[in-house]
Amino acid sequence: MSASAAVSSTCAAASSTTSRRSSSSAASRVQATPRRSLPSRLVASRTSPRSPVVPPVYATASPGGAGGTTAAAARKKLLIFDAEEYLAESLAKYTARLSGEAVAERGAFTVALSGGSLIKALRKLTESPYLEAVEWSKWHVFWVDERVVPKDHADSNYKLAMDGLLSKVPIPASQIYAINDTLSAEGAADEYETCLKQLVNDGVVAISEVTGFPKLDLMLLGMGPDGHVGSLFPGHPIVNENQKWVSYIKDSPKPPPERITFTFPLVNSSAHIALVVTGAGKAGAVHKAFSDKQSSSDLLPVEMVSQQEGVLTWFTDKPAVSMLSSI
């Protein structure tokens, strides 16, 4: 199914849908369901006849000892894979596990997607055993950022995700929250935040007791060679936004210029964050992110990803970490 042919919910539609639901409590609207037993292929070793996967090199916090004494560094997990195929298998297993845990606890799994190469890295979710084992009907899908272009435009993160992932798994269309591409960047950002607030009121999206911002179950991030995440770019004032849940830019340093994006307080309030970073072109930003010579005056956006609760997990390959001397 192409993105243009798919029928999914805009946040405006989602808000009106949820507001029409019964007046029962949020807890009763999102019922936890008994957790299914996953196939042994899904919970056992990464090695399988179909796709022999070599376990990654593993490091906790900064591999060079950089920042290793800080609480933030202690909440970092660095996984390094010999090949992208192994990374994709591990990422699918990780995502499926978190989905199962969230569904068992709350009856829903809220996940935010990024663009770029991330969607390709998630491709294993569309294959066995994940396709059959994951409770797709419980997924609620958001975008970390989106370009303000039509949904069938080549630059649309929605189109990228639909073509590569969402059209291949049975997530209810009403639980895929695209931006309203008929609005301005400012209007689309405001409406997306309104959508999130409605879903919080409806009991679908949790709120962090630590930050007061929405607490999505999983934030899936990529990173650009310049260290940007979402549409939070180095040196742009938007990285300092600390009140809004969703903001916008009209002067993106890379095209297209108009975008909406989750802000750092929302990103960092997630229950789990995965950073998927591959390729030698990212090595410089990775090196800086794990350096002990950080200065608050020149932080890259990726350095501002700071898990408030839980662990920030980096999924990387050897080229991406080639500048880390102790690996």
Side-chain angles (χ1 to χ4, degrees):
M1 182 189 301
S2 68
S4 58
V7 178
S8 70
S9 173
T10 63
C11 263
S15 296
S16 62
T17 299
T18 53
S19 65
R20 289 195 298 268
R21 293 180 182 175
S22 69
S23 58
S24 58
S25 69
S28 67
R29 285 196 291 267
V30 182
Q31 294 288 344
T33 57
R35 187 175 183 181
R36 295 187 296 178
S37 296
L38 300 181
S40 59
R41 285 177 298 168
L42 190 56
V43 296
S45 167
R46 291 188 182 91
T47 302
S48 71
R50 177 179 61 84
S51 177
V53 176
V54 177
V57 176
Y58 172 85
T60 300
S62 173
T69 60
T70 68
R75 291 195 296 268
K76 289 182 182 178
K77 179 189 293 184
L78 177 63
L79 302 178
I80 307 163
F81 296 86
D82 285 326
E84 193 274 344
E85 182 78 4
Y86 307 152
L87 183 155
E89 186 74 34
S90 182
L91 183 62
K93 181 178 179 180
Y94 166 87
T95 304
R97 175 177 62 81
L98 295 181
S99 171
E101 291 173 357
V103 170
E105 181 180 348
R106 302 193 305 107
F109 179 58
T110 54
V111 56
L113 304 176
S114 300
S117 60
L118 173 73
I119 299 302
K120 179 182 177 183
L122 291 169
R123 68 187 180 279
K124 295 291 184 180
L125 287 170
T126 69
E127 303 173 4
S128 181
Y130 309 105
L131 183 60
E132 300 85 7
V134 170
E135 292 192 69
W136 298 106
S137 65
K138 305 297 186 182
W139 279 44
H140 293 259
V141 179
F142 305 87
W143 273 264
V144 178
D145 70 316
E146 179 58 287
R147 293 84 179 270
V148 184
V149 295
K151 292 181 180 64
D152 59 356
H153 193 282
D155 288 331
S156 167
N157 283 342
Y158 169 87
K159 173 177 170 56
L160 179 67
M162 285 301 303
D163 289 349
L165 174 65
L166 300 179
S167 65
K168 301 176 182 180
V169 294
I171 300 172
S174 62
Q175 293 167 202
I176 299 173
Y177 305 102
I179 73 166
N180 188 337
D181 58 6
T182 67
L183 300 177
S184 66
E186 182 176 10
D190 288 345
E191 187 177 271
Y192 214 70
E193 181 165 326
T194 298
C195 168
L196 282 168
K197 289 178 177 178
Q198 180 61 54
L199 291 169
V200 167
N201 291 338
D202 199 54
V204 174
V205 175
I207 283 287
S208 169
E209 296 182 0
V210 175
T211 68
F213 279 77
K215 183 180 180 180
L216 299 185
D217 295 310
L218 176 59
M219 190 76 55
L220 288 162
L221 300 175
M223 184 194 77
D226 61 354
H228 83 266
V229 293
S231 285
L232 300 162
F233 292 95
H236 197 285
I238 197 171
V239 302
N240 298 314
E241 173 60 54
N242 60 13
Q243 298 297 319
K244 293 181 178 179
W245 297 3
V246 185
S247 194
Y248 70 96
I249 59 175
K250 293 186 175 181
D251 56 350
S252 168
K254 58 180 293 187
E258 297 195 356
R259 301 157 177 250
I260 77 165
T261 185
F262 285 173
T263 60
F264 274 120
L266 194 156
V267 169
N268 292 336
S269 295
S270 303
H272 303 274
I273 301 175
L275 261 165
V276 181
V277 181
T278 60
K282 314 282 182 73
V286 171
H287 178 263
K288 189 172 187 306
F290 283 93
S291 171
D292 60 353
K293 298 179 181 179
Q294 294 180 344
S295 167
S296 59
S297 63
D298 67 345
L299 288 176
L300 295 177
V302 72
E303 296 176 87
M304 300 173 72
V305 178
S306 178
Q307 188 79 24
Q308 296 299 307
E309 306 172 71
V311 177
L312 166 61
T313 304
W314 288 68
F315 289 80
T316 69
D317 61 5
K318 288 186 174 180
V321 298
S322 59
M323 295 178 65
L324 299 181
S325 60
S326 64
I327 297 300

